[in-house]
Amino acid sequence: MAAPRKYSLELRERAVRMFRTVDPKPQIKKLAVDLGVHPKALRGWFRQAEADAGERDGRLTTDERAVRVTLRNENAQLKRANDALRTASAFSRPSSTRPGPGDGTH
C-alpha cells in the first residue's frame, strides 16, 4: 500500500479558494484531476474549510484539532510520568511492616 501523499498548504488553499469562488461549482473529480490531487483529499479540504468557517457542524476546526493533539501529547506524557513515579515508589517502600529507625515511633 502506498504512503499518503503530502500536499502543500498553498495547493490546499488555492484549491479551496477556487472551489468556493467559481460558479457553478466544478465537479470535485475534474478539479482533482486538474490539480493532480486525489478526490478524497480534495473533498476533505473542502469540508475542513467549511468547518473552519463555521459552516459545517460535526467536524473539529483546524484550531480545535491542534488543541486536541496538544492535549493528547500532554496526557501521554503525564501517564508516562505517573507510571515512572508508581514504579519508583514501589522500590522506595520499606520491605517489612515493622517500625524501623527514623519512622517516628518510640
Side-chain angles (χ1 to χ4, degrees):
M1 186 159 110
R5 192 168 161 200
K6 298 286 183 179
Y7 298 104
S8 71
L9 183 59
E10 295 83 21
L11 176 63
R12 292 179 191 199
E13 290 172 348
R14 190 178 80 187
V16 169
R17 192 172 43 253
M18 286 173 59
F19 186 77
R20 293 178 78 110
T21 58
V22 174
D23 197 33
K25 297 287 182 234
Q27 287 184 340
I28 291 178
K29 286 183 180 181
K30 180 168 179 358
L31 184 58
V33 169
D34 292 345
L35 295 173
V37 175
H38 195 282
K40 285 185 179 182
L42 196 58
R43 193 172 290 114
W45 298 347
F46 298 152
R47 289 178 179 158
Q48 190 61 52
E50 290 171 347
D52 290 344
E55 300 166 357
R56 178 178 279 272
D57 292 334
R59 187 176 184 113
L60 297 176
T61 65
T62 301
D63 291 339
E64 291 169 334
R65 285 173 177 260
V67 168
R68 184 177 177 186
V69 167
T70 301
L71 291 174
R72 278 187 174 170
N73 291 339
E74 287 177 9
N75 192 30
Q77 185 179 10
L78 290 171
K79 283 182 179 181
R80 286 191 299 272
N82 281 340
D83 288 344
L85 290 171
R86 208 174 287 118
T87 301
S89 70
F91 287 111
S92 65
R93 290 185 188 139
S95 60
S96 71
T97 57
R98 291 189 322 191
D103 64 1
T105 60
H106 295 135

